[in-house]
Amino acid sequence: MSWLRLIRSRRVGVVTFWRLLEEYGSARAALLALPEVARAAGVEGYAPCPEGVVLAECKAGRAAGARLLCRGEPAYPQALADLADAPPVLWAMGDPAVAARPMVALVGARNASSLGTRMARKLAEGIGQAGYTVVSGLARGIDAAAHLAALPTGTVAVMAGGVDVIYPAENAGLAREIAEKGLRLSEQPPGLEPLARHFPLRNRIVSGLAAAVVVVEAAARSGSLITAKTALDQGREVLAVPGHPFDGRAAGCNLLIRDGATLARGVEDVLDGLAAKAAPLRASRPSAEDAPGRRAAAEVPQQAPAARPKAELRALHRRILDRLGPAPLAEDQLIRDLAVAPAAVAPELVALELDGQILRHPGGLLSRAV
């Protein structure tokens, strides 16, 4: 309950959630500290997510037939646990065991060509027969073709909105089959309609679940390329199916290959790419005692670090904001540019995020709110 309240609290993103948990020792302690953290950032009257809101969310999840998976619990997908921005909680519909096997993501264009969907089906069938679960985002086009072909061997659909909200509606039948034979996942509350900002968040889970991401068709500027970039940031293998230079749907794949992605002509290339990885993904899951309900002893507020002079904090905030612009910057690069100890910068980034002055993006990136 405390985990769910913390992640649903206003202006608390995933990275901030983990930072607060590390700093205060438990979600309950972080919830108690949040109003003061917000006040120090200049936000008066801040209140964490009310208990009634998460009780209603849990009721909606049960009504939809979903279950809550928390990081640190056995059913939580192991491949996600080592990510800095791993979702603290996931709503799941279906069999979580499907996500316990090694996975490969297949993504691509919504307006896929006939050849593209045929390739996606062939890849999904071969990858499934080789013992991998196929992951995708349940979009029309390449995603839907990959899910459908992988139903007999196992597939995971990551939803941008609530796990019970099917988008696009045309995939409702496919979504039902995935819940019966595979697994649907979402970090969003049940019943939430997906918004544009939810899709990049969804994409990081698609790539984070997988040992490799295969892009079948993608325009030069597309969500599939964002997924590929996130996969690289996460240390995953990226492969792309080449296409004709005159076909705009192949432009993104051709760019990926030009920039070093592995060329995928068929299932054999994908399996070779997986075998060529220097080491398998290591799931660095937190110990069982980190899971909610298993840290009763830790649910005691920890002593906050010594307060720094307000003038010093304001000066640091100005320096941080001066360094950031609308284009995302890696957090570690920001800290190097500031030449300030990471332990001193981290809580101020949380404060600025709570104040709405900076935004966090997948891959450990920060930007200044416009």
Side-chain angles (χ1 to χ4, degrees):
M1 182 69 70
S2 295
W3 275 39
L4 200 52
R5 283 188 65 202
L6 183 58
I7 192 59
R8 299 298 185 234
S9 292
R10 184 166 51 102
R11 294 178 178 169
V12 175
V14 170
V15 175
T16 300
F17 174 96
W18 293 118
R19 184 163 285 160
L20 289 169
L21 206 64
E22 180 180 3
E23 184 172 346
Y24 292 98
S26 72
R28 186 176 298 173
L31 286 166
L32 292 172
L34 261 180
E36 182 55 38
V37 172
R39 191 177 300 114
V43 180
E44 297 294 337
Y46 182 93
C49 177
E51 189 172 316
V53 172
V54 297
L55 287 173
E57 178 176 336
C58 291
K59 183 178 179 181
R62 288 193 297 270
R67 61 178 288 193
L68 192 65
L69 308 179
C70 297
R71 185 185 181 201
E73 295 179 340
Y76 186 95
Q78 295 184 21
L80 286 179
D82 64 341
L83 300 181
D85 55 356
V89 298
L90 290 167
W91 283 102
M93 294 182 70
D95 183 7
V98 175
R101 290 163 34 203
M103 289 176 266
V104 173
L106 279 174
V107 298
R110 288 174 171 80
N111 62 331
S113 68
S114 175
L115 281 174
T117 54
R118 207 161 85 199
M119 184 63 164
R121 287 195 299 267
K122 184 177 179 181
L123 287 172
E125 288 170 357
I127 289 167
Q129 289 165 6
Y132 291 88
T133 293
V134 171
V135 186
S136 201
L138 198 61
R140 61 171 60 92
I142 297 300
D143 289 22
H147 284 307
L148 189 60
L151 276 173
T153 53
T155 188
V156 175
V158 185
M159 323 284 285
V163 73
D164 56 336
V165 178
I166 311 306
Y167 179 85
E170 67 197 59
N171 285 342
L174 175 59
R176 280 194 298 272
E177 286 196 82
I178 293 173
E180 292 168 3
K181 303 174 184 178
L183 180 66
R184 291 186 352 223
L185 292 174
S186 175
E187 65 179 329
Q188 305 297 341
L192 181 73
E193 293 288 337
L195 301 174
R197 61 186 173 85
H198 295 142
F199 289 92
L201 297 173
R202 183 274 310 272
N203 292 348
R204 93 184 190 286
I205 298 177
V206 170
S207 58
L209 284 167
V213 173
V214 184
V215 185
V216 179
E217 281 185 335
R221 295 174 182 237
S222 65
S224 298
L225 291 197
I226 295 174
T227 306
K229 183 184 182 304
T230 304
L232 290 171
D233 292 339
Q234 294 168 337
R236 277 41 173 171
E237 187 77 9
V238 174
L239 304 95
V241 175
H244 196 284
F246 288 169
D247 187 346
R249 288 169 295 200
C253 291
N254 292 340
L255 284 172
L256 286 172
I257 294 167
R258 183 200 68 183
D259 293 341
T262 301
L263 184 146
R265 298 163 298 174
V267 178
E268 295 78 10
D269 286 340
V270 176
L271 299 180
D272 288 346
L274 289 164
K277 287 182 70 68
L281 289 175
R282 290 189 293 272
S284 174
R285 293 193 298 164
S287 60
E289 66 185 20
D290 287 331
R294 300 177 186 176
R295 296 196 53 167
E299 292 285 352
V300 178
Q302 304 295 309
Q303 186 174 357
R308 302 171 68 188
K310 288 187 177 181
E312 184 182 334
L313 290 179
R314 285 196 296 270
L316 179 56
H317 288 185
R318 282 196 300 273
R319 290 184 62 200
I320 291 171
L321 293 172
D322 286 345
R323 289 283 181 179
L324 293 174
L329 176 71
E331 182 176 335
D332 57 354
Q333 182 62 55
L334 171 66
I335 293 171
R336 285 195 296 272
D337 291 346
L338 293 169
V340 177
V345 178
E348 304 319 313
L349 293 176
V350 172
L352 288 169
E353 184 180 10
L354 288 172
D355 193 30
Q357 296 191 64
I358 66 173
L359 302 173
R360 289 191 184 273
H361 305 272
L365 301 177
L366 301 168
S367 69
R368 187 168 180 171
V370 178

